[in-house]
Amino acid sequence: SAVISQKPSRDICQRGTSLTIQCQVDSQVTMMFWYRQQPGQSLTLIATANQGSEATYESGFVIDKFPISRPNLTFSTLTVSNMSPEDSSIYLCSVTGRNNEQFFGPGTRLTVL
Amino acid sequence: KQEVTQIPAALSVPEGENLVLNCSFTDSAIYNLQWFRQDPGKGLTSLLLIQSSQREQTSGRLNASLDKSSGRSTLYIAASQPGDSATYLCAPGSRGSASKIIFGSGTRLSIRP
């Protein structure tokens, strides 16, 4: 299984600011994903982070709000831009390993005041 | 569009009981199905992965079954322990290179000592 780390683990931010979340994997992986988990809810896929090209966003999520970088096969960032209290969530990255099994990072807990 | 339903939404049982968590999904054209565990405020831990060609998978006290044609999966937990208390999430994976998984809303399990 892949070992995934995320930074920061948590943050409290002011309305209107932006936060960049980092995801680092201990091995090269093809597929990386970003998810959001709003309070009391299940996980919703934000986008697939593609190495060498733009991310693929799911319905309801746009690049201007959630820009994603994927400079290599072990690292990705998700930025939450112009934050509002509604963006308060846990943000998780995941990767696909052998047999298409998915593994998740520990998550970043974001609170927007 | 895949929709995933998990029943019950919450369950509280005394320690030692055997229990079954249910998952149903609307699109049976899946690649695989994963069961995850999530502790409060934490990331996800992969419990079991069932490929679409398989009927069940076992790991310790956990057994997951898959009936793809009827769009159902069950997670069986034998001899439950207080440490099993967590939210359990079912996530069928789509076919194709994207390897996207869609989450159910989860079953919140509490095992009373």
Side-chain angles (χ1 to χ4, degrees):
Chain A
S1 64
V3 177
I4 306 167
S5 60
Q6 287 185 232
K7 289 181 181 180
S9 59
R10 59 177 60 223
D11 207 342
I12 301 173
C13 301
Q14 295 297 319
R15 181 195 299 262
T17 63
S18 298
L19 176 72
T20 296
I21 302 168
Q22 299 179 3
C23 178
Q24 179 76 51
V25 190
D26 68 341
S27 58
Q28 292 186 340
V29 294
T30 303
M31 308 298 293
M32 292 183 75
F33 305 90
W34 286 99
Y35 287 82
R36 178 177 75 182
Q37 186 175 30
Q38 294 176 299
Q41 304 295 314
S42 190
L43 283 76
T44 302
L45 179 63
I46 297 173
T48 303
N50 301 310
Q51 197 270 329
S53 63
E54 274 194 3
T56 305
Y57 289 84
E58 297 299 307
S59 175
F61 297 96
V62 295
I63 187 171
D64 289 345
K65 176 67 177 178
F66 297 102
I68 289 171
S69 78
R70 178 89 191 271
N72 56 53
L73 293 176
T74 64
F75 186 79
S76 177
T77 67
L78 169 75
T79 299
V80 186
S81 303
N82 188 25
M83 289 183 285
S84 67
E86 292 70 33
D87 294 319
S88 297
S89 298
I90 299 174
Y91 292 86
L92 301 104
C93 69
S94 75
V95 303
T96 301
R98 195 160 51 96
N99 296 323
N100 274 334
E101 185 172 7
Q102 281 211 12
F103 301 97
F104 282 78
T108 295
R109 181 182 291 274
L110 171 62
T111 302
V112 184
L113 302 177
Chain B
K1 178 185 174 185
Q2 180 73 277
E3 293 182 3
V4 184
T5 303
Q6 290 188 244
I7 295 173
L11 182 63
S12 179
V13 301
E15 180 177 6
E17 283 202 7
N18 302 325
L19 48 97
V20 176
L21 309 183
N22 297 293
C23 171
S24 62
F25 45 95
T26 56
D27 184 355
S28 62
I30 62 171
Y31 189 88
N32 58 25
L33 186 142
Q34 272 184 267
W35 281 92
F36 293 89
R37 167 188 172 134
Q38 186 176 31
D39 293 285
K42 304 291 187 182
L44 275 68
T45 300
S46 178
L47 297 173
L48 288 163
L49 170 70
I50 311 176
Q51 301 296 342
S52 61
S53 58
Q54 297 175 320
R55 297 284 294 187
E56 65 178 340
Q57 280 286 334
T58 298
S59 176
R61 293 181 295 106
L62 305 179
N63 175 276
S65 67
L66 175 64
D67 184 344
K68 198 175 70 165
S69 61
S70 67
R72 295 179 187 274
S73 177
T74 61
L75 179 66
Y76 176 83
I77 303 176
S80 58
Q81 303 171 357
D84 295 330
S85 298
T87 296
Y88 290 80
L89 295 161
C90 164
S94 67
R95 290 194 171 276
S97 60
S99 301
K100 292 193 297 188
I101 60 176
I102 305 298
F103 283 88
S105 54
T107 293
R108 190 171 64 255
L109 177 63
S110 175
I111 308 298
R112 304 189 300 270

